[in-house]
Amino acid sequence: MSDSPTVLFVCVHNAGRSQMAAGYMRQLSGGRVRVLSGGSEPGVALNPTAVAAMAEEGIDIADEVPSILKSADVRASDVVITMGCGDACPVFPGRRYEDWSLTDPAGKPLDEVRPIRDDIRSRVERLLAELDADH
């Protein structure tokens, strides 16, 4: 792993879970981690409820744009976190892969998205602690 690890967060639409995880990793790592995200079938815009839930945490993801998952991003990453993208995520040797089983926040009200957000935060904190321990 390089001095500055790269973590890729992937979900189907790249509009909710992966964007929230990327927002937390950017904020909590303070720039120690290069953060990428993508989707196997990217949406048109971010989930507004996910944006609102993150804003409550003081993290602004409103300007992020769902993007297609690129093989080059997987290849460039030390850790790939998938969130329900199934077999659409390419696998390359030498990468660490984890699948986080998380409820999709799409179409859910804010009070149902908050626990998903909080689960993502705890997982990102744990991953960040592991990455820091590897250095």
Side-chain angles (χ1 to χ4, degrees):
M1 199 173 297
S2 67
D3 286 343
S4 180
T6 300
V7 177
L8 170 62
F9 294 100
V10 182
C11 68
V12 176
H13 299 295
N14 192 225
R17 295 167 290 185
S18 58
Q19 292 286 357
M20 288 191 287
Y24 272 128
M25 183 59 81
R26 279 188 207 96
Q27 178 80 18
L28 297 173
S29 74
R32 296 187 315 273
V33 176
R34 181 173 174 239
V35 180
L36 304 171
S37 71
S40 53
E41 298 173 26
V44 179
L46 289 195
N47 174 337
T49 310
V51 172
M54 292 301 287
E56 289 182 345
E57 295 281 289
I59 299 173
D60 183 4
I61 61 170
D63 291 335
E64 299 299 325
V65 177
S67 60
I68 188 77
L69 172 65
K70 299 179 196 97
S71 292
D73 287 345
V74 177
R75 199 174 281 113
S77 298
D78 299 293
V79 181
V80 179
I81 305 295
T82 58
M83 303 171 198
C85 73
D87 295 335
C89 188
V91 175
F92 293 100
R95 306 300 174 275
R96 173 180 165 187
Y97 290 87
E98 286 185 29
D99 185 58
W100 291 356
S101 180
L102 295 161
T103 302
D104 188 346
K108 299 201 178 324
L110 187 56
D111 63 331
E112 290 180 31
V113 173
R114 286 183 184 117
I116 299 167
R117 175 203 63 201
D118 296 345
D119 187 8
I120 290 170
R121 181 183 180 120
S122 67
R123 290 171 189 248
V124 168
E125 289 172 337
R126 194 169 31 247
L127 175 59
L128 184 56
E130 292 169 6
L131 292 173
D132 286 342
D134 288 346
H135 283 85

